[in-house]
């Protein structure tokens, strides 16, 4: 039995390798998460987001695949932080897989405690969609990033980033979406990345236009594109904790500043003075010392971001906890700039809107092209959605199984799910579709530095909502449901849930999809009604969504 790293790729086509599509789907999606085209470090089982893993180790991977192949339609596989721990008799409406990742009791929810338990082989870091098997490559975040930069453009620059310069850092699994999202909004991006290979990979997948020779070269390329109002993205190899202060010192005219280094995990942020080659050994040998140095560097990095804000730039935290880490590194003004959710995304959450996504289990890109057309037909009045779907079709290179993402809200998602199911049933699509979402969604996450930062009623840290979300999705017929801790912003800082449901063309699937894709976004509306957002209350009223405590 080969229990070590090996290339993994999901099967394509209509031949089942498991007993039903409800088990073939999680099986293919787990394999797809670890496809070298999709995962950032597949040999280490790391999918994205610093150390976000799909399964605990290669033995667990083999065991999960084995169980999924044998699982019956009235059985449920239990996965505890990437390890299969049981198969229990349930029923056909129950999820085929239930996943709990990285959860720790409150007082123990710290990185050192987590790492201790991880080194004992007791847990793993599941991030959000890494450990819940619905990561679809950088496209997954591209649409959210596109929406965010579109909102920045709307707020500050008359609806376009043309003629503006955005400076950011990090070209990893998530961060790699930034340059393309900026150029899709017609702007110029300068992205700092310490690891040349990561930058190179983004050029190869067409997310980044070019890599500059050095900082002088980068500055001259971006400033000339900005002057010409020409969309361009330029990567520069360097440490953000050095490059951003230097850009500030030189007085480069920067309009927007953010960051997507893996700051949520201080061992995944490279401190100044450490090389990429030294990184892994140093972090493993001296985690405390490395953490201190990383936080000191983040303090310098964030101080430069605040400096740009003082100079008039639009500055925001892009959900990686860099403000919290910089504060721990001794920088007092770290929270002077806002997180992106309260700044741009919350109004969408009030409508139950969030990152709806789907993948074609056939592996055939034509299936996604057909679903794209179906989305355009279903929501003809939504111009922003149409612009995205068209651009995505033209500019997004698929990684692994072909997939698509778009933001849909309460009252919309189930229509898409039912339509795709009909298309599978009629044979228009060549194989079933899986429909899921990021955990960064309207009603599935408690994360006071990100999705629930600055809630109107102060309920930022109330974590009952993601638990209710996982429970209602389980009760509604999702195919697999996951409940995680620590994704996005790190251990101790978030609790979140995910669901994936299969459209296999059956009537039963239609019933499940209708409920899951109604109830899941309904949680977003309910959560925001409860927090006192008027927009959410009007959405609830418009859709006759009952609110038990509302005055009649
Ligand atoms: P990743 O680990 O794949 O990539 C991080 C990149 O940062 C790496 O390429 C690394 O080389 C680079 N880096 C590290 N230290 C650096 C430094 N000092 N200077 C320059 N580059 C440096 O992570 P990812 O998947 O791209 O995620 C990035 C961050 O965004 C994470 O903290 C993640 O939790 C967070 N995140 C945000 C969202 C969102 O919606 N905004 C969603 C998910 C995750």
């Amino acid at each position: 039995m080969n229990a070590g790293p090996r290339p993994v790729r999901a099967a394509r086509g209509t031949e089942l390798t498991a007993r039903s599509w409800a088990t073939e789907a999680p099986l293919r999606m787990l394999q797809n998460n670890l496809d070298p085209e999709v995962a950032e470090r597949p040999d280490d089982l790391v999918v994205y987001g610093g150390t976000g893993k799909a399964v605990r180790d290669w033995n667990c991977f083999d065991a999960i695949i084995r169980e999924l192949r044998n699982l019956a339609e009235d059985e449920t596989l239990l996965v505890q932080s990437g390890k299969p721990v049981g198969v229990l008799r349930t029923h056909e409406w129950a999820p085929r897989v239930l996943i709990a990742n990285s959860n720790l009791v409150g007082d123990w929810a710290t990185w050192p405690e987590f790492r201790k338990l991880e080194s004992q082989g007791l847990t793993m870091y599941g991030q959000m969609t890494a450990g819940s098997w619905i990561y679809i490559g950088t496209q997954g975040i591209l649409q959210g990033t596109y929406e965010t930069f579109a909102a920045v453009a709307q707020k500050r620059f008359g609806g376009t980033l043309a003629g503006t310069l955005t400076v950011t850092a990090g070209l990893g699994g998530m961060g790699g979406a930034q340059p393309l999202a900026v150029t899709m909004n017609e702007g110029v991006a300068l992205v700092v990345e310490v690891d040349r290979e990561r930058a190179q990979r983004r050029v190869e997948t067409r997310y980044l236009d070019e890599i500059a020779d050095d900082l002088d070269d980068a500055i001259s390329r971006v400033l000339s594109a900005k002057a010409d109002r020409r969309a361009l993205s330029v990567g520069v190899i360097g440490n953000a904790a050095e490059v951003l202060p230097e850009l500030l010192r030189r007085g480069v005219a920067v309009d927007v500043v953010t960051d997507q280094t893996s700051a949520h995990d201080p061992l995944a942020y490279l401190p100044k003075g450490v090389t990429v080659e030294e990184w892994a050994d140093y972090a493993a040998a001296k985690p405390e010392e490395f953490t201190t140095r990383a936080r000191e560097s983040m303090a310098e990095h964030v101080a430069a971001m605040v400096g740009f804000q003082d100079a008039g730039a639009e500055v925001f935290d892009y959900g990686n906890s860099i403000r919290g880490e910089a504060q721990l590194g001794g920088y007092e003004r770290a929270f002077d700039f806002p997180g992106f959710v309260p700044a741009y995304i919350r109004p969408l959450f009030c409508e139950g809107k969030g990152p709806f996504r789907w993948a074609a289990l056939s592996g055939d890109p034509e299936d996604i092209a057909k679903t794209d057309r179906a989305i355009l037909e279903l929501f003809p009045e939504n111009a922003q959605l149409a612009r995205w779907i068209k651009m995505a079709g033209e500019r997004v290179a698929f990684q692994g199984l072909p997939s698509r993402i778009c933001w849909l809200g309460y009252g919309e998602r189930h229509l898409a799910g039912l339509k795709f199911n009909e298309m599978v049933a009629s044979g228009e699509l060549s194989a079933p579709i899986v429909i899921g979402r990021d955990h960064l969604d309207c009603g599935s996450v408690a994360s006071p530095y990100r999705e629930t930062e600055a809630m109107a009623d102060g309920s930022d840290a109330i974590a009952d909502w993601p638990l209710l979300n996982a429970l209602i999705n389980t009760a509604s017929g999702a195919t697999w449901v996951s409940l995680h801790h620590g994704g996005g912003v790190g251990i101790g800082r978030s609790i979140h849930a995910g669901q994936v449901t299969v459209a296999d063309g059956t009537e039963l699937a239609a019933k499940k999809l209708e409920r899951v894709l109604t109830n899941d976004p309904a949680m977003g509306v309910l959560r925001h009604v409860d927090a006192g957002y008027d927009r959410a209350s009007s959405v609830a009223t418009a859709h006759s969504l009952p609110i038990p405590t509302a005055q009649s």
Side-chain angles (χ1 to χ4, degrees):
M1 193 72 191
N2 179 359
R6 80 226 61 158
V8 173
R9 188 170 186 265
R12 267 68 173 161
T14 50
E15 201 171 313
L16 289 177
T17 63
R19 288 166 67 174
S20 72
W21 280 108
T23 45
E24 181 76 18
L27 194 158
R28 286 194 193 184
M29 291 310 290
L30 164 58
Q31 292 170 325
N32 195 56
N33 262 15
L34 291 170
D35 186 322
E37 272 183 35
V38 177
E40 292 294 315
R41 290 191 282 123
D43 286 355
D44 300 327
L45 301 157
V46 169
V47 183
Y48 77 96
T51 53
K53 289 171 75 172
V55 293
R56 204 175 308 172
D57 56 36
W58 284 99
N59 279 325
C60 290
F61 173 78
D62 289 328
I64 291 173
I65 296 289
R66 205 165 49 238
E67 294 301 339
L68 287 172
R69 286 204 206 290
N70 291 327
L71 208 68
E73 285 180 64
D74 62 352
E75 289 178 328
T76 296
L77 170 66
L78 298 177
V79 178
Q80 179 260 322
S81 290
K83 176 184 176 184
V85 290
V87 173
L88 298 178
R89 182 97 191 276
T90 53
H91 55 87
E92 66 175 2
W93 271 80
R96 296 285 70 85
V97 190
L98 288 171
I99 298 172
N101 277 326
S102 332
N103 296 288
L104 291 173
V105 170
D107 276 2
W108 283 260
T110 64
W111 273 119
E113 183 68 23
F114 177 82
R115 288 212 178 84
K116 190 184 92 192
L117 295 166
E118 188 186 30
S119 71
Q120 292 168 2
L122 298 173
T123 188
M124 73 158 200
Y125 186 54
Q127 259 290 4
M128 290 193 157
T129 51
S132 57
W133 313 341
I134 186 68
Y135 185 67
I136 56 170
T138 305
Q139 184 197 172
I141 204 66
L142 176 61
Q143 209 263 345
T145 314
Y146 163 79
E147 291 279 351
T148 304
F149 281 109
V152 172
Q154 208 65 47
K155 181 175 163 195
R156 284 284 299 268
F157 307 104
T160 173
L161 292 182
T164 69
L165 171 60
T166 296
V167 168
T168 183
L171 285 169
M174 298 276 133
Q178 298 176 102
L180 182 52
V182 171
T183 53
M184 280 178 155
N185 279 292
E186 302 165 315
V188 180
L190 173 59
V191 193
V192 187
E193 167 58 59
V194 277
D195 185 343
R196 180 173 292 277
E197 272 179 35
R198 293 289 188 105
Q200 199 55 49
R201 186 170 178 172
R202 300 306 154 214
V203 172
E204 282 155 18
T205 49
R206 312 202 317 256
Y207 278 80
L208 178 69
D209 292 331
E210 47 196 60
I211 299 174
D213 297 334
D214 53 38
L215 187 58
D216 291 335
D217 178 37
I219 292 171
S220 103
R221 290 191 204 195
V222 294
L223 288 183
S224 100
K226 175 176 161 158
D228 299 346
R229 294 176 71 81
R230 176 167 44 89
L232 178 72
S233 60
V234 177
V236 65
I237 309 307
N239 193 308
E242 291 170 321
V243 175
L244 267 83
E246 179 59 17
L247 290 170
L248 185 65
R249 197 187 63 76
R250 293 193 197 187
V252 176
V254 175
D255 303 283
V256 182
V257 184
T258 189
D259 178 64
Q260 278 216 339
T261 56
S262 268
H264 70 277
D265 175 358
L267 299 186
Y269 180 97
L270 192 68
K272 274 168 50 177
V274 181
T275 65
V276 173
E277 292 70 34
E278 293 162 342
W279 190 342
D281 289 346
Y282 183 15
K286 295 183 179 169
E288 303 299 335
E289 181 183 308
F290 192 99
T291 296
T292 306
R293 286 187 63 181
R295 286 183 174 145
E296 284 166 5
S297 287
M298 285 190 248
E300 291 180 58
H301 181 166
V302 170
M305 293 173 79
V306 170
F308 281 115
Q309 178 167 270
D310 290 344
E314 180 80 7
V315 182
F316 59 95
D317 174 308
Y318 212 161
N320 64 354
S321 242
I322 196 162
R323 292 170 302 168
E325 294 297 325
Q327 198 174 49
L328 291 169
Y331 181 58
E332 284 175 7
R333 291 184 63 197
F335 281 86
D336 272 19
F337 54 86
F340 73 110
V341 174
Y344 314 110
I345 303 294
R346 185 143 308 135
L348 302 177
F349 279 179
C350 288
E351 297 173 16
K353 279 209 168 110
F356 180 79
R357 62 176 62 170
W358 63 97
L361 294 176
S362 63
D364 184 355
E366 189 49 35
D367 278 354
I368 292 298
K370 288 176 181 162
T371 56
D372 281 351
R373 287 196 286 277
I375 289 285
L376 295 177
E377 282 163 23
L378 274 174
F379 308 106
E381 71 296 341
N382 189 335
Q384 194 165 325
L385 175 69
R387 183 158 150 235
W388 158 256
I389 292 284
K390 192 168 161 289
M391 278 197 291
E394 287 164 6
R395 297 184 65 169
V396 169
F398 293 134
Q399 295 167 258
L401 289 170
S403 58
R404 183 66 75 224
I405 180 165
C406 67
W407 280 43
L408 291 179
Y410 177 62
E412 295 176 328
R413 294 190 203 186
H414 72 287
L415 299 177
L418 290 173
K419 177 71 186 166
F420 296 170
N421 199 52
E422 279 166 27
M423 292 165 78
V424 175
S426 70
E428 190 179 348
L429 299 178
S430 58
I433 298 278
V434 293
I435 303 173
R437 58 163 171 76
D438 197 353
H439 296 199
L440 184 173
D441 196 14
C442 50
S444 56
V445 52
S447 183
Y449 288 142
R450 203 165 86 177
E451 291 87 342
T452 53
E453 174 176 343
M455 292 297 287
D457 63 347
S459 60
D460 307 19
I462 297 291
D464 298 330
W465 298 97
L467 275 68
L468 287 172
N469 179 261
L471 293 169
I472 193 66
N473 281 324
T474 300
S476 302
T479 311
W480 66 101
V481 175
S482 50
L483 192 46
H484 295 200
H485 162 216
V489 284
I491 293 297
R493 294 176 180 156
S494 62
I495 295 187
H496 41 94
Q499 71 78 18
V500 186
T501 307
V502 180
D504 63 7
T506 60
E507 276 180 34
L508 180 62
K511 288 183 189 159
K512 292 178 176 181
L513 286 162
E514 218 254 328
R515 285 164 178 75
V516 173
L517 297 179
T518 301
N519 296 342
D520 186 33
M523 287 299 302
V525 179
L526 297 177
R527 202 266 175 268
H528 290 86
V529 169
D530 196 69
Y533 289 91
D534 292 343
R535 177 75 197 121
S537 296
S538 354
V539 171
T541 307
H543 290 273
S544 307
L545 178 64
I547 307 293
T549 52
Q551 304 287 331
S552 55

